[in-house]
Amino acid sequence: MAISLPRPLHALTTDELASATKDRRWPKWQTMALLHSLKLPVLNACLIQPDDSPATLRTAAHALAAATGTDTLMIRSDGGLERKQYYRGGNTFPIQEVGTRATGLLADGRAVILAEPTNRFTNRLTVLIRMDRPGPARPGSLTLEALGPGYDVADLTRGHIPPQVTAHLDDVDYEHYQPPRWHEWKITGDQCPGGEDARRTRRLERLASQTLTDSGHLDGEADARHTETWLRQREYLHLFGPQQTREALAKRTRRLFEDAFFLARSQPNRNWHCLATALSVFDEPRTIYWDLVDGENKYAATAPTAARQRKRAA
């Protein structure tokens, strides 16, 4: 019997997408499949499981590169418990480096998601979207947290960088669609003195320690000053320009509400209490969604096969 090789997400059939949306071993891949099946924009990607061979990894990488017309790919990891020291994905590498960098993740029992590359230095807008409700058929709330040019999703989800702008909506009925009126939105900006300078410095420090060092552009001694020099030399000036985040978010509140309502109605867990997703507006411009997280089912329910095998061997 021929072995089925991983195929790009955008090439999967309706049945294959449906199967992927039910596989809780790989939460990120599961929700990418769900978002794509709902016709929401996501990156094209491939899933490599821990038991897949190096040849399978190479084949999948070249297939995805051919499908997206690129010679670099983003590496993310998926599945199992996300320990504090686990690899922070999202960086982009040449195809010839993908195998070496992915092997360690697979050996650790985590799946690898190869995705088409993005430029995380030139984002126009990043929005974290959170849907809350006390229970089914009860009104809840919607919160949008936004960062402007030069920031990315990881700054909000893992970087401890406060949003520049927050938009909040109460009394949201996730069972029956009712578009909010403009005056019902509570939009607030960060008024902390020196807040933008501190936010920018934190962003530069994160890029130095987690992005540019990992990708080999800077060494382990790099700090915020080195990152700023690196960005300016390449004319990645978005972080240092006007941050008109309030206006950019305000223009998208209606569409973001509609997408959030749609995602809540499509969530397989009808008893959800908290859902979250994130959106990036790239410089092209292009908009994509990342993962959809259910607060009650954030991690995989089943340990990957490789991890189980190592445990039995021990």
Side-chain angles (χ1 to χ4, degrees):
M1 180 181 295
I3 298 176
S4 177
L5 294 175
R7 294 193 297 123
L9 177 68
H10 292 182
L12 299 184
T13 66
T14 301
D15 289 343
E16 288 170 330
L17 283 173
S19 177
T21 63
K22 298 174 183 177
D23 191 343
R24 288 181 55 194
R25 294 176 300 166
W26 324 119
K28 293 174 185 175
W29 182 253
Q30 177 190 21
T31 61
M32 288 180 73
L34 175 63
L35 290 164
H36 184 55
S37 69
L38 297 174
K39 310 302 182 185
L40 290 173
V42 294
L43 294 174
N44 202 357
C46 280
L47 176 72
I48 314 300
Q49 301 187 25
D51 291 334
D52 286 335
S53 68
T56 298
L57 172 63
R58 290 193 299 270
T59 301
H62 284 284
L64 179 61
T68 56
T70 182
D71 56 3
T72 61
L73 293 175
M74 179 193 299
I75 296 179
R76 306 182 73 199
S77 67
D78 195 10
L81 294 176
E82 296 188 349
R83 302 176 181 88
K84 289 184 178 180
Q85 70 273 22
Y86 96 105
Y87 178 73
R88 305 299 188 191
N91 293 334
T92 297
F93 305 96
I95 292 179
Q96 59 268 26
E97 295 184 21
V98 166
T100 301
R101 292 181 174 273
T103 299
L105 293 169
L106 297 172
D108 198 36
R110 291 185 66 82
V112 169
I113 296 176
L114 302 179
E116 58 183 300
T118 67
N119 187 337
R120 66 194 316 171
F121 312 116
T122 61
N123 292 333
R124 293 187 178 187
L125 180 70
T126 295
V127 184
L128 186 65
I129 304 165
R130 174 168 170 155
M131 298 151 268
D132 290 279
R133 67 174 186 177
R138 299 179 63 183
S141 63
L142 174 67
T143 303
L144 311 175
E145 296 182 342
L147 289 170
Y151 293 92
D152 68 21
V153 169
D155 292 322
L156 287 170
T157 58
R158 301 187 188 278
H160 306 293
I161 295 180
Q164 293 165 326
V165 181
T166 300
H168 184 79
L169 192 63
D170 284 318
D171 297 322
V172 178
D173 184 349
Y174 286 106
E175 302 293 330
H176 305 92
Y177 178 74
Q178 181 63 47
R181 298 178 177 87
W182 178 247
H183 72 271
E184 294 176 313
W185 286 99
K186 299 175 183 177
I187 302 180
T188 57
D190 182 5
Q191 302 297 321
C192 178
E196 194 54 48
D197 288 340
R199 186 180 291 107
R200 186 183 300 110
T201 298
R202 176 60 179 153
R203 166 65 170 164
L204 293 171
E205 291 172 344
R206 284 195 67 253
L207 288 176
S209 63
Q210 298 181 19
T211 302
L212 296 178
T213 301
D214 181 47
S215 59
H217 292 105
L218 294 177
D219 61 35
E221 301 300 320
D223 58 18
R225 293 171 302 169
H226 296 97
T227 304
E228 180 170 353
T229 298
W230 188 92
L231 292 173
R232 290 187 180 278
Q233 286 175 343
R234 288 154 182 80
E235 298 187 353
Y236 296 149
L237 305 178
H238 299 62
L239 188 64
F240 312 107
Q243 295 284 327
Q244 297 175 333
T245 312
R246 185 185 184 97
E247 294 82 354
L249 179 63
K251 290 192 298 185
R252 290 174 171 83
T253 52
R254 175 65 177 266
R255 178 57 186 270
L256 293 175
F257 172 84
E258 292 174 349
D259 288 351
F261 180 87
F262 186 39
L263 285 171
R265 293 293 296 160
S266 304
Q267 172 64 20
N269 175 19
R270 303 309 301 159
N271 296 316
W272 66 270
H273 291 275
C274 177
L275 301 175
T277 187
L279 171 136
S280 293
V281 180
F282 298 146
D283 199 35
E284 284 80 354
R286 178 188 179 193
T287 299
I288 67 105
Y289 279 96
W290 294 90
D291 310 320
L292 176 65
V293 176
D294 182 343
E296 295 179 359
N297 300 302
K298 183 173 181 180
Y299 302 114
T302 304
T305 302
R308 294 199 303 268
Q309 291 175 341
R310 289 197 305 277
K311 185 176 180 180
R312 286 197 297 268

